[in-house]
Amino acid sequence: MENQILTKQDREKVISRAKFAKSFILVGAVITILSVILWYTLDPAIFYDMALYIGLVGVGALIYGIKQLLSRKSKDKPVIISQETIRTFILNNAILLALLILVLVIMAIQPRFMQLGVLLDILTMSSTKVIVALGICFTLLIAGTDLSAGRMVGLAAVVSTSMLQNPDYTNKFFPDLPVLPIVLPIILAIIACGIFGVLNGFLVAKFEMHPFIATLATQVIVYGITSLYFDMEPNKSQPIGGIREDFVALGQTKILQIGGFPGISILVPIAIGFILLIWFILNKTVFGKNVYAIGGNREAAIVSGVNVFKTIMGIFMLASVLYGVGGVLEAARTAGATNNYGNGYELDAIAACVVGGVSLNGGVGKVGGIVSGVLIFTVIQYGLQFIAVSPMWQQVIKGIIIAVAVAIDLTKYRKK
């Protein structure tokens, strides 16, 4: 027995938290300095903005090290480095490591992928998707789902754009409609989604209908209503265009266009605002704690006094509002809409949540993980398009990633 303990100790290396943090700070500082040197020495025609990405890695390591050093919670907790901790780290970050390898491969094939503009494009494309994913994560946290999310995105896009066309546009959806304040159609679009959120919540909470079935039914209803609306006279299923500039500016304005910097889409700070809001709701409110409680153990939550009916109603209503916001912003970004907008968004959002660590068994998931999941999927999609991979192969690769993510998720929780 003693020999076994000694053998185990021999395989482990225990270091203090302070030493661990200082190591990260040192490595981060070295990488950051190296990136500055590379910035002034590398040929930008060959290596583009690679030095910038190296610098971001260095700054990230610096921030992590400083955070560990200042953390009172883990100050006295040593860091144990063993085969088991390394294996657990790889298991928990397998998708991120796979993404890193994929990005390096894409950069090797097409060095232009290292351009700063590509990174900014990825952030812009992720902005609306992350809002939809934040909505759907609430339903996943209670071991449910929401298949109607994508169709609600389309509903919000069609409703908002149909009332925000230029007055002199020939094919106006409502020829006699006066110029409305931009806020009014946006609110109407979000309310339209909210109605179906109430329907979803009622079916699940009142009749204990499985969310898969309830939202599948709603998905069909929403698409049918959107198509009927889209097919109204005089539009007759024509793509909605001629969108007003003030609405388009909501999705296409760029900020911080200083000097040679290409600027950041205004959608990025908007998405960050929603990320912070949802983080606050999930971590600092009773509602958020009830969501985790129901997802973790529904019976225990009921015994503890959690109002399951109200919480589920709140979950689906909040989620539908986020889908509505996502649909409005997506319509503004692309300056148009059709009834097929948002098709498949729910599957991408669910996949992004799972890849980001939200458990399909409910009760487990963090906002940071969801954001990571959305970024991972956007990088995969954008990167594969960048090196001209066939759309059919893109679907195959995305499917494999989802399958691997779910398998890892099940493996982790089976161990626990």
Side-chain angles (χ1 to χ4, degrees), residues 277-301:
L277 174 65
I278 299 304
W279 179 88
F280 180 82
I281 291 174
L282 280 175
N283 294 281
K284 300 296 180 183
T285 67
V286 175
F287 174 76
K289 296 182 191 306
N290 289 346
V291 171
Y292 281 110
I294 293 173
N297 190 322
R298 184 187 177 102
E299 286 70 27

Side-chain angles (χ1 to χ4, degrees), residues 244-285:
R244 282 167 38 184
E245 286 298 321
D246 53 349
F247 182 60
V248 175
L250 186 63
Q252 295 186 3
T253 299
K254 289 194 173 183
I255 58 176
L256 300 177
Q257 283 183 303
I258 304 169
F261 187 68
I264 300 172
S265 169
I266 194 169
L267 292 175
V268 176
I270 291 175
I272 291 173
F274 278 98
I275 290 168
L276 294 175
L277 174 65
I278 299 304
W279 179 88
F280 180 82
I281 291 174
L282 280 175
N283 294 281
K284 300 296 180 183
T285 67

Side-chain angles (χ1 to χ4, degrees), residues 176-321:
D176 301 324
L177 187 72
V179 177
L180 299 173
I182 186 173
V183 177
L184 182 59
I186 292 175
I187 292 175
L188 289 174
I190 294 173
I191 289 175
C193 293
I195 292 171
F196 292 103
V198 172
L199 176 61
N200 277 336
F202 189 74
L203 292 173
V204 175
K206 178 68 177 178
F207 302 105
E208 297 188 0
M209 190 181 293
H210 195 287
F212 183 92
I213 301 300
T215 58
L216 177 63
T218 310
Q219 179 198 59
V220 178
I221 296 170
V222 172
Y223 181 60
I225 291 177
T226 305
S227 298
L228 288 170
Y229 182 81
F230 189 64
D231 195 43
M232 284 170 52
E233 293 283 358
N235 192 63
K236 297 298 291 180
S237 297
Q238 296 300 311
I240 302 173
I243 309 302
R244 282 167 38 184
E245 286 298 321
D246 53 349
F247 182 60
V248 175
L250 186 63
Q252 295 186 3
T253 299
K254 289 194 173 183
I255 58 176
L256 300 177
Q257 283 183 303
I258 304 169
F261 187 68
I264 300 172
S265 169
I266 194 169
L267 292 175
V268 176
I270 291 175
I272 291 173
F274 278 98
I275 290 168
L276 294 175
L277 174 65
I278 299 304
W279 179 88
F280 180 82
I281 291 174
L282 280 175
N283 294 281
K284 300 296 180 183
T285 67
V286 175
F287 174 76
K289 296 182 191 306
N290 289 346
V291 171
Y292 281 110
I294 293 173
N297 190 322
R298 184 187 177 102
E299 286 70 27
I302 294 172
V303 172
S304 302
V306 174
N307 190 323
V308 175
F309 182 86
K310 284 186 178 178
T311 305
I312 291 178
M313 288 294 294
I315 285 171
F316 281 96
M317 288 173 62
L318 177 59
S320 64
V321 169

Side-chain angles (χ1 to χ4, degrees), residues 21-22 24-25 59-71:
K22 288 175 183 175
F24 259 91
I25 293 173
V59 172
L62 264 173
I63 293 173
Y64 179 77
I66 293 171
K67 185 180 174 185
Q68 289 291 316
L69 195 62
L70 298 179
S71 173

